[in-house]
Structure formats: structure tokens, C-alpha cells
Amino acid sequence: MTGEGNECGDGTGGAGGRRRRLKLAVLTLVGVLVLGAGGAGWAFWRLNGNIRSVDIDGALGDDRPARLRSSSEPSASAAAPPPPSGALNILVLGSDSRSGEENAELGGGDEGAGARSDTAMVVHVDEGRTGATVVSIPRDTLVTRPPCPLESGGSTAVAYNAMFNSAYAVGGPVCAVKTVESMTNVRMDHYIEIDFSGFAKVVDALGGVTVTTDEDIDDDDSHLTLEAGTHRLDGEQALAFARTRHGIGDGSDLGRIGLQQKLVKALLDQIASTDLLTDPTRLYEVADAITGSLTTDTGLDSLSELTNLGESLQGLSPDDTRTVMMPVTTAPYDRNRVVAEEPEAGELWESLK
């Protein structure tokens, strides 16, 4: 089985309409992130304090792929630095957290069972920030998991033919980043993680999200049942939609990736169509949900840094944004797992350098 690339967007309203929706979404995101800066100081303090961070750079040191040569971040000494414009790679994870009552109620499982990265996407933004490629990595991909540093000291052991999502389970965000960099030889400039309960809260704060499915869905594991057609989903249903795999296609992770990419576009459209900028109360609710669900690297762990990133993406065109899946094929020693298909996978990662 091979992952094929496909362009983002369904053509509704034409290229101009899609470009307008994406720009509205980015502007709304910027408004969400700077909410407190223009209003009460306590709001800014609250939202800024919501964001959790992990020092990825400090943990991994210099034993990593080289930074993108085109990367050009603004000087910290500049009085009013312009938004960055260099090429950028961001690892975005959706975590199957096994801790916390809210996450458990949404399918996270028992607190003592650890955590997994249920969704993984590498977002590559081109030089000039006018185009992007979003690469989904199937969680069932078998990889060589490198030794990863642990907070308690020491490191995990190297593991061969390990499932990709086990990296997060054994070593958290640091090991997830190191594993992606090891398998791609591409440096991740930033890391963003959103958890189960946080994702559901964001969708609910937006008033739900509208999706269309081409086939019936009936998945006992995600507890989602939908007839083929268009549906308005609340946060819990949207989360189930993103996690569904057994109720569609051949039941593999590849079908779930298609649903996840469809959901990302639907959320983008929902943000663009929700007039948050004229509704401060609703804007704060969305901002609180977004920041409260995020874990980032230390380079994105403040409202000002996230705002700077959001502003730099205002010129991003959906016509130049594509969503693809890492090319994979069935593992020769396990029909239920996949491995990177070469040379296609290597060529894809090379194009992101």
C-alpha cells in the first residue's frame, strides 16, 4: 500500500474563496493569541500561563540534523522584529494521553497505561511562508527508535522494528522529536502537541465543526456511528472522528489519516466562518481552550512567540498547500504494520530540507 499526495481543499468557492478563508483563519488565530494584549492584563497572564512547554533543544543538544539553511528568525534584540520568513519544520502531535480524568472519559484509557502519539504530522513551511506541505506519519509505521534521554537521567535503549507511536510512550515529546529526526534526517524547528480533552474543548468553543463522509462509519472503539453524508460534530464526536479507523475502509491507520486531514480542513473553515474578532467573550473561550490544550517547545511557549508565528503565515496560500501521507508499504514480517516505502519516502523528506 502506498501513500499518495493530494492537494488540500475541495474547490468550493474557487481559489479566491479558499485563499480568503485561510487568511481569515490565520487572522482569527492571531486575534485569539493577542486577545489579552489589547484588553485586560489578567487575560493575557491567564492565557500565557496556560501553555506548557518542553525544552527539546536542551534535551537533545547538538546531535541532530542541521537547521534549515534558509531559516531566518528575527533578532531578539530588534525593537519591533518583522515576522520570520525562513523555511520551517514543525512536528505536530495529537496525544492519546493516559492521564487525567477528562482524557480518560474521552477514550484516553487508564492512568497507569502511559501515553501515545495518536496523530503525527510534520508541517513544512516553505521559504517566504507562502506554501506548505503537511506530511502525516502512520502511527503503525515500524521504525528504529533511537536511544532517547530521560528526565530522570540516562536514556532509553535503541529499539528495532518498534511502532512509531511508542517513541512518545517511552520518552515523551523529546523522544518523539528524536525519532522523527532519526527516520527523516530532517530537523524539527518546533514542536506542538494537543491532547484529547483540549481538542474537544477547542471544537466546542467554536460551536462544532461540519464534516462530510463518503461512507458509513460504525466504530465500536471510537464509539462513533455516522451515516454517509454531512454532519455537525461537537467536540467529543470530532475527537472520535479523528480516532476512527476500524469503521472505515480496510480498518487500517491509513483510513484514519484521511479522516484527520479532512477534519483539519473543516476546522480551518470553521475558524474562518466564526466571527470571533467581534465577539470578545467567544474569542476568549476559544483562546483559553487552545492555549490550555497546548504543549510546545520552549521556542513557542508564549503568546508573543505564537503570535509572531501566526503573523508570519498570513501569506500562506491554500493553492500551494498540500496534505500527503508518508509513502508506506506493508511490513514484510507483519501484515498489520507498515514500513516506509523507499526511495519515495526518502525523496519526500529530502524535499523538506
Side-chain angles (χ1 to χ4, degrees), residues 107-193:
D110 297 329
E111 186 167 347
R116 299 172 299 183
S117 53
D118 225 25
T119 303
M121 298 179 181
V122 173
V123 179
H124 173 81
V125 183
D126 297 339
E127 173 78 12
R129 311 272 168 112
T130 57
T133 301
V134 180
V135 184
S136 294
I137 302 174
R139 53 170 281 181
D140 292 343
T141 304
L142 297 181
V143 301
T144 296
R145 193 180 68 224
C148 300
L150 297 172
E151 288 186 18
S152 57
S155 66
T156 64
V158 63
Y160 301 97
N161 296 323
M163 277 184 55
F164 168 74
N165 70 338
S166 69
Y168 186 94
V170 302
V174 171
C175 196
V177 170
K178 185 166 186 180
T179 299
V180 170
E181 291 185 342
S182 176
M183 64 186 283
T184 66
N185 196 31
V186 175
R187 184 176 182 122
M188 298 297 107
D189 299 289
H190 291 298
Y191 170 84
I192 298 175
E193 176 189 333

Side-chain angles (χ1 to χ4, degrees), residues 36 71 175 261 284 304 319 351:
S71 181
C175 196
Q261 292 177 341
Y284 179 80
S304 58
D319 297 319
S351 72

Side-chain angles (χ1 to χ4, degrees), residues 205-282:
L206 287 168
V209 62
T210 300
V211 299
T212 300
T213 176
D214 299 326
E215 59 182 301
D216 295 343
I217 296 176
D218 187 7
D219 190 341
D220 292 338
D221 288 350
S222 68
H223 309 296
L224 182 67
T225 301
L226 292 176
E227 294 183 353
T230 300
H231 302 272
R232 185 73 172 179
L233 307 181
D234 62 19
E236 186 171 349
Q237 292 171 319
L239 179 60
F241 188 85
R243 298 182 67 233
T244 289
R245 63 183 294 182
H246 298 296
I248 57 169
D250 62 1
S252 73
D253 194 44
L254 310 187
R256 170 164 53 188
I257 284 175
L259 293 182
Q260 290 172 348
Q261 292 177 341
K262 184 176 293 189
L263 183 60
V264 167
K265 181 187 178 300
L267 280 172
L268 190 67
D269 287 342
Q270 179 61 32
I271 291 173
S273 63
T274 304
D275 195 9
L276 296 174
L277 297 179
T278 60
D279 187 344
T281 300
R282 185 88 171 276

Side-chain angles (χ1 to χ4, degrees), residues 297-321:
D297 67 283
T298 50
L300 287 178
D301 62 353
S302 70
L303 287 179
S304 58
E305 288 162 333
L306 286 171
T307 299
N308 196 242
L309 174 63
E311 290 177 339
S312 78
L313 301 177
Q314 289 189 46
L316 194 62
S317 168
D319 297 319
D320 295 318
T321 300

